[in-house]
Amino acid sequence: MTFQQLRSRRDFLRYGARTLSAIGAAAAFGEAGLITARAQSSGDYKAMVCIFLFGGNDANNMLVPNDTAAYANYQKIRQNLALPQSSLVSIHDPATNAGYGLHPSFAPIAPLYNTSKRLALLANVGTLVQPVPRSSNGAAQFNSVALPLNLYSHADQQNEWQNGVPQGGATTGWSGRLADRLSSSSGTLVPPCISIAGNALQLIGETTQPSTVNTANFGLVAPATDPGSVALQNMLSLSSGVTLVQAAQNSLKDAISVAQAVNTAVAGSASLGVTFANTDIGTQLAQVAKLIQVRGALGASRQIFFCSQGGYDTHSNQLAQQVTLYSNLANAMAAFDQAMGGLGVQNNVTTFTESDFGRTFQPNGNAGSDHGWGSHTLVMGGAVNGGNLYGAFPNLTLAGTDDSGTRGTWVPSASQDQYHGALAKWFGLSAQADLDYVFPNLGNFGYQTPAFI
């Protein structure tokens, strides 16, 4: 495309978005976003890496009770979804002395729990507005408190996990608000929040605007020789006299500078020495690893990354789907842990999972499971107090004390505010006013967070 062809503002913006392969639509920085992009806290480096499992992960098969009586109950209720006990990867919860088993596909990261203690699990976590009281017999009285908006809805629960406001209505995400509060005046070349999985509500703050990175490459395609790219940069040097277009030009100018800085830093970096599988989540975590590798060249001290893996809406054929999903996830996480070790930043980088919701413990009629509520999550990193299961594992009884219905939709024993609050505290958030800003409902839980980190 030539300069003469870039006639309209629509062409200008469309071409800019296509050219900036490293910076997606979310990187159109406004003036407030520019301030945040150049302002990150100083001091030791820390990064959080979120892996969102889109569709609703049936963690009832990710973490399975492995003691004789408990497994027999699991097998009886799960029926055709039950994993053979002999296939489970054994782990132990030292706090309760209970035995559990990981899905066999998680064998690549099981040593991080059993041996190196860099992997922990948080049991039965989900969206909550406030704690759920218990009756005298221990039953969850979930109908006596305010509940998250539209439980069991994919879109609503995905948003609530990312924005941290289960009452609904939030237009910013908890990670973005966290970046708002931890920003300072030290200059960097990249924004603090970067998505490798397209636009992510979780990374948007009041003043923080995220960037997106393409999994194919980082920066501009042949910026010095591509005629369209040269034309774009020439056009950016013009003064339009129109405020809206001028603001867009400033945004793209900054996007170009970020893309070029990242491209230059990555081009000059050494090989990670780790092979990531050529899967969607594998390529995403490989990109995160490269960005962490060049953190010094980019001046980054605090970074939050968002990755994702789809396919977890397993209403049918669940067993076969989970083998592939979990294998890809575990292998990618194992490679990422190895890469962080090679870079000497295992203690500085924490990786964690999220998902829409759990799924019903009782199968449906299609060899799958349906939308649930509470679920289990993985947390990995050198700063993690690994080798432990945190939170309260649910009572796996249909219509029992932890069931919100009759099919095993577990009432969460820990809120996503508490889960994310623990991560935010490790990241550097401490003042109560800041905690209230990032997690409006955390005070309902007495600001108590699990000790997995």
Side-chain angles (χ1 to χ4, degrees), residues 286-306:
Q287 293 290 62
V288 173
K290 291 296 291 184
L291 288 167
I292 290 175
Q293 181 185 29
V294 298
R295 66 197 180 280
L298 299 175
S301 61
R302 289 290 186 277
Q303 292 186 293
I304 305 173
F305 298 96
F306 186 90

Side-chain angles (χ1 to χ4, degrees), residues 86-135:
S86 61
S87 73
L88 300 175
V89 181
S90 294
I91 65 172
H92 175 256
D93 177 25
T96 62
N97 203 33
Y100 293 92
L102 293 173
H103 189 286
S105 294
F106 283 106
I109 59 173
L112 302 183
Y113 184 98
N114 288 325
T115 305
S116 60
K117 310 299 182 184
R118 292 196 300 276
L119 179 71
L121 289 99
L122 179 60
N124 199 20
V125 59
T127 55
L128 288 171
V129 177
Q130 61 192 84
V132 176
R134 298 279 173 164
S135 65

Side-chain angles (χ1 to χ4, degrees), residues 16-330:
R18 185 173 71 247
T19 303
L20 299 173
S21 60
I23 309 298
F29 305 114
E31 291 186 7
L34 283 173
I35 296 171
T36 306
R38 297 293 183 261
Q40 296 190 51
S41 57
S42 59
D44 61 329
Y45 177 80
K46 285 185 179 179
M48 297 195 304
V49 182
C50 173
I51 304 174
F52 202 104
L53 311 179
F54 279 104
N57 174 33
D58 189 344
N60 292 304
N61 272 12
M62 185 175 82
L63 180 66
V64 177
N66 204 19
D67 294 332
T68 302
Y71 177 82
N73 175 68
Y74 158 86
Q75 186 180 45
K76 178 181 178 180
I77 298 175
R78 288 247 92 180
Q79 302 174 43
N80 59 341
L81 292 186
L83 301 170
Q85 190 170 17
S86 61
S87 73
L88 300 175
V89 181
S90 294
I91 65 172
H92 175 256
D93 177 25
T96 62
N97 203 33
Y100 293 92
L102 293 173
H103 189 286
S105 294
F106 283 106
I109 59 173
L112 302 183
Y113 184 98
N114 288 325
T115 305
S116 60
K117 310 299 182 184
R118 292 196 300 276
L119 179 71
L121 289 99
L122 179 60
N124 199 20
V125 59
T127 55
L128 288 171
V129 177
Q130 61 192 84
V132 176
R134 298 279 173 164
S135 65
S136 57
N137 69 352
Q141 303 294 294
F142 62 94
N143 285 323
S144 66
V145 296
L147 294 177
L149 181 70
N150 294 333
L151 281 171
Y152 319 122
S153 158
H154 285 297
D156 291 286
Q157 294 306 298
Q158 289 167 8
N159 284 343
E160 290 167 29
W161 265 92
Q162 293 187 55
N163 63 33
V165 185
Q167 301 97 317
T171 57
T172 59
W174 69 267
S175 295
R177 297 193 299 270
L178 175 60
D180 288 346
R181 280 298 190 255
L182 292 182
S183 296
S184 69
S185 59
S186 61
T188 76
L189 296 176
V190 292
C193 294
I194 300 176
S195 173
I196 321 294
N199 295 341
L201 171 63
Q202 185 165 310
L203 303 184
I204 298 173
E206 294 291 344
T207 58
T208 297
Q209 291 300 313
S211 172
T212 62
V213 168
N214 193 309
T215 55
N217 53 63
F218 284 99
L220 292 171
V221 179
T225 58
D226 178 65
S229 181
V230 173
L232 173 65
Q233 296 185 60
N234 288 338
M235 190 172 186
L236 288 173
S237 67
L238 299 177
S239 176
S240 67
V242 180
T243 302
L244 182 62
V245 175
Q246 191 68 49
Q249 290 175 354
N250 291 337
S251 298
L252 285 171
K253 277 184 179 179
D254 194 71
I256 287 175
S257 67
V258 171
Q260 291 176 328
V262 171
N263 215 26
T264 299
V266 171
S269 64
S271 169
L272 288 169
V274 175
T275 300
F276 284 83
N278 187 26
T279 61
D280 188 30
I281 188 60
T283 55
Q284 288 178 56
L285 287 180
Q287 293 290 62
V288 173
K290 291 296 291 184
L291 288 167
I292 290 175
Q293 181 185 29
V294 298
R295 66 197 180 280
L298 299 175
S301 61
R302 289 290 186 277
Q303 292 186 293
I304 305 173
F305 298 96
F306 186 90
C307 303
S308 72
Q309 184 188 25
Y312 284 87
D313 194 17
T314 52
H315 286 285
S316 62
N317 194 31
Q318 179 173 296
L319 287 180
Q321 291 185 68
Q322 282 191 322
V323 168
T324 301
L325 290 167
Y326 286 163
S327 293
N328 290 347
L329 176 62

